[in-house]
Amino acid sequence: MLSLGEVPRRMAGPAPPAVDPVAYAVLRAVWRTYPLAASEWTAVVPAIQPTDERWSGLRDGTPLLDETTVRWDAPALRRQHRRLLRVFRSPSLSTLDGLGDLLRLLARDDGELVEWARRFLEAGAGDPRPELVIGGYVLQPFLYGFARRVLPRLHREEWRGNRCPVCGGSPYHGYLDPESRRRVLICGKCLCPWKAPRLQCPFCENTQQGRLGYYYEEQAPRQRIDYCDVCRSAFPVTLESESDHPFPLHDHLASLPLQAAVERSPHVDQPS
């Protein structure tokens, strides 16, 4: 996992092709608030000890976190809310078109924001509803801080599920090592990576090879979209060596044009 301080530096350049520069500027500004929030992750997500029974639950397919584990009334959540307000009211963002709705949502009562953070944890990855986007901005850095702390031990645990072993979230991006053919999924909530079977749908766990496939374009050979004919889902994957340092957020945004093209294919359900 990238350090949270490294992410804004990796985003310092221009937006990937076909990505809205305004949206990219917002993401870059939001991610600058994450390191400070993640540094106090134990105020929101209790630390887990080596002997904690939650570790044994991994073998039964139970992730380490759920909504009962998070301290939803933590002052740290409200501090992250105030950081986000300052970001969206800053001169560099306040004049951008299209941010009025997000700013109005941020200006609401803290209690409502905590509810949106709770719903973010429960919802599917990439839910576009504005209140859940805000809820993610509030909660995600704390989940990330926890995931980064437990990741070394996770590599030693058996986990073969298609949901995140840390928070139970669904994946939003994947990586495939061209040499080892090993596939790694990235959680859309806490951004934790975990290893997963290569020839399996990350959503319905279908393993019928005749009902799995992928799209790619010759001008962008590193990006592809895996699809499943059983659940009619599409999933972006980047070909990346394990020795490299992948940047899931940037790679996911770079795959958006191909995702849009695949959504028009007969293998994938049209977005509602």
Side-chain angles (χ1 to χ4, degrees), residues 10 12 20 24 35-36 54 60 76 98 119 133 142-143 172 182 189 201 206 208 228 230 251 254 256:
R10 296 279 289 268
D20 181 0
Y24 198 69
L36 189 55
R54 284 180 286 171
D60 301 322
R119 287 162 59 187
V133 172
F142 302 102
L143 299 179
Y172 86 112
R182 181 178 298 167
K189 303 295 178 61
C201 173
N206 165 43
Q208 303 175 57
C228 173
V230 174
D251 290 330
L256 289 178

Side-chain angles (χ1 to χ4, degrees), residues 82-143:
R82 290 193 291 272
R83 290 186 199 103
L84 292 167
L85 268 175
R86 287 194 293 270
V87 163
F88 278 82
R89 288 172 173 166
S90 66
S92 61
L93 292 186
S94 60
T95 58
L96 296 177
D97 293 336
L99 297 187
D101 289 343
L102 285 179
L103 184 54
R104 281 190 289 274
L105 287 174
L106 268 172
R108 290 190 181 183
D109 177 75
D110 285 354
E112 197 165 19
L113 286 163
V114 168
E115 176 59 26
W116 292 341
R118 188 193 303 271
R119 287 162 59 187
F120 165 78
L121 185 62
E122 297 172 348
D127 192 311
R129 286 176 288 176
E131 63 270 25
L132 298 194
V133 172
I134 294 296
Y137 291 163
V138 170
L139 181 62
Q140 190 172 57
F142 302 102
L143 299 179

Side-chain angles (χ1 to χ4, degrees), residues 152-195:
R153 176 163 176 174
L154 277 176
H155 285 323
R156 302 193 298 271
E157 296 287 344
E158 288 295 322
W159 181 269
R160 291 294 180 266
N162 63 346
R163 292 294 182 266
C164 173
V166 171
C167 69
S170 55
Y172 86 112
H173 200 85
Y175 286 92
L176 181 65
D177 188 308
E179 296 180 1
S180 69
R181 311 305 291 173
R182 181 178 298 167
R183 186 163 74 159
V184 173
L185 305 180
I186 308 295
C187 177
K189 303 295 178 61
C190 69
L191 307 178
C192 175
W194 75 96
K195 297 172 185 176

Side-chain angles (χ1 to χ4, degrees), residues 172-173 215 217 223-226 234-238 248-265 268-271:
Y172 86 112
H173 200 85
Y215 290 94
E217 295 179 346
Q223 302 290 348
R224 77 183 208 183
I225 306 295
D226 291 356
F235 183 67
V237 173
T238 301
L249 176 60
H250 188 279
D251 290 330
H252 187 76
L253 293 172
S255 72
L256 289 178
L258 186 55
Q259 291 185 58
V262 169
E263 286 174 354
R264 297 189 292 269
S265 87
V268 176
D269 282 338
Q270 303 299 308

Side-chain angles (χ1 to χ4, degrees), residues 15-85:
V19 172
D20 181 0
V22 172
Y24 198 69
V26 171
L27 283 173
R28 183 166 51 225
V30 166
W31 272 79
R32 288 191 181 117
T33 72
Y34 277 22
L36 189 55
S39 69
E40 48 184 12
W41 63 268
T42 53
V44 176
V45 183
I48 184 170
Q49 304 302 321
T51 57
D52 196 300
E53 62 181 14
R54 284 180 286 171
W55 288 111
S56 61
L58 287 173
R59 303 184 188 96
D60 301 322
T62 303
L64 296 175
L65 295 179
D66 59 30
E67 67 166 5
T68 66
T69 314
V70 177
R71 298 185 179 117
W72 295 108
D73 60 346
L77 288 173
R78 294 188 284 277
R79 287 193 290 273
Q80 174 62 0
H81 165 227
R82 290 193 291 272
R83 290 186 199 103
L84 292 167
L85 268 175

